Amino acid sequence: MKAVILAAGQSSRFKPLSENRHKGLTEVLGKPIIEHTIEELRNAGVDEVIIVQGPDKYIEDQIDSADHYIVQEEPKGMGNALRQAEHLLDDDFLVLTPYRANASKFFRPMIEKAEEEDSEIVFVSTPTEEPEKYGILEMEDGKAVDMIEKPDPEEAPSNRKVVGMYLLNESFFDHLDEVEEWEYQFEDALSRQMEENPASVLEIEEETNSIKHPWDLFSVVEELMEERGQNISKKASIAGSAQIKGDVIIEDGARIFENAVIKGPAYIGEDAVVGNNSLVRDHVALERNSTVGANTEFKNSVMQPSSSIHSGFIGDSIIGRDTHIGAETVIANRGFRENGERPEIESDLIGKDNSKESGRSFLGAIIGDNVDIGVNVSIMPGVQIGSDAKIGPGTVVKENVETEETVYVEQEQVKKE
């Protein structure tokens, strides 16, 4: 069995975390997301992994665990991307998006379903109450006869959304030839094929994670941390007064200083530092060479390699690589109550002229790479800060800071005898 990972997209909705690399190269638990997916494919018995990447070749430059790397020169949609790998494909093959860390539990049932029902297509599908966001299947007698892309709720043919995992065979390319090349050519070809041979559907009730927006990373971290237990390297340095509670992974070279408390699930990467009297809790991922300084609370957040905070509070936030945050900085993670309840937090997307509901009542900041943030800065919920930005000391950041932008407050100092 072969599998094709489609990773050539520009990941624009994932900015600022994707400004310098494909979102599949975001590190979680010590390795890029796409590496977790490849491991799952190998565990499921996949013999060859093919990655379709963009012309920048970010993925090929940073990982070597796939068997083939193919380039899609222009962003022309999934159909065109899969076409680039056609010469490597025969018989049945899997197609999936870069993050599917629980994929192995679905692939064998997909293959069995194709054999039992003599199907050329197998979808994985979960129920949804928001059909306008997904591809929705039209069902007849337990099989899919069409797929409607993002229908209005009142026009949706069912409540079954398509998950980004497909079992196809080489006949798919004949149908790809029959439809116009555009953004949704892949979906049109599937619809054309289903007219002749309805597709099987592996219906599951559990939600499967995908990564479209930065805050989707929180669910990925939670999923990857499930059932990992506690694993503390003998090559880590942990002060006798530090407390390690629950499912905590601590890698080689990590240093945990006096009176620090780590409450799992949590991941402390290679050579990471947790300073004196700090509290690290609730699905935290501190990647390699990152630092949480003394007297800091770091809650349900992800810090990419080689970043640091001196002291303060970081809640429900994602911090890119090589970013440094000054002392006593606070990233707020909740809005004011509305009618007694905390509202869902919206976030203005960097690089997109629109605001997006996160679906979360807890959400701090999304911060890119190589950002410098001064002391005593306050950052409001849902703010995004682009890579290479600078925030001056004492600033209250209420709206997005664009890439390479500098934001500071001017103060007049008065001296009197």
Side-chain angles (χ1 to χ4, degrees), residues 28-61:
V28 179
L29 275 62
K31 65 184 70 173
I33 290 169
I34 198 169
E35 288 272 24
H36 290 287
T37 300
I38 292 171
E39 282 188 4
E40 279 288 292
L41 291 171
R42 302 296 189 194
N43 292 338
V46 170
D47 302 309
E48 291 185 40
V49 176
I50 303 162
I51 294 178
V52 181
Q53 60 185 335
D56 48 39
K57 298 185 179 179
Y58 280 148
I59 294 176
E60 184 177 355
D61 289 343

Side-chain angles (χ1 to χ4, degrees), residues 78-83 86 89 91 93 95 120-121 123 147 166-179 184-194:
M78 290 174 61
N80 179 268
L82 190 56
R83 176 74 80 187
E86 181 181 5
L89 300 171
D91 297 325
F93 56 90
V95 178
E120 297 175 348
I121 304 171
F123 293 107
M147 180 171 65
Y166 312 85
L167 179 63
L168 306 178
N169 69 25
E170 57 188 337
S171 62
F172 171 79
F173 292 104
D174 295 332
H175 299 280
L176 197 64
D177 291 334
E178 297 170 356
V179 297
Y184 293 116
Q185 182 188 16
F186 180 79
E187 292 80 359
D188 287 350
L190 289 173
S191 293
R192 181 69 63 89
Q193 190 168 5
M194 282 186 278

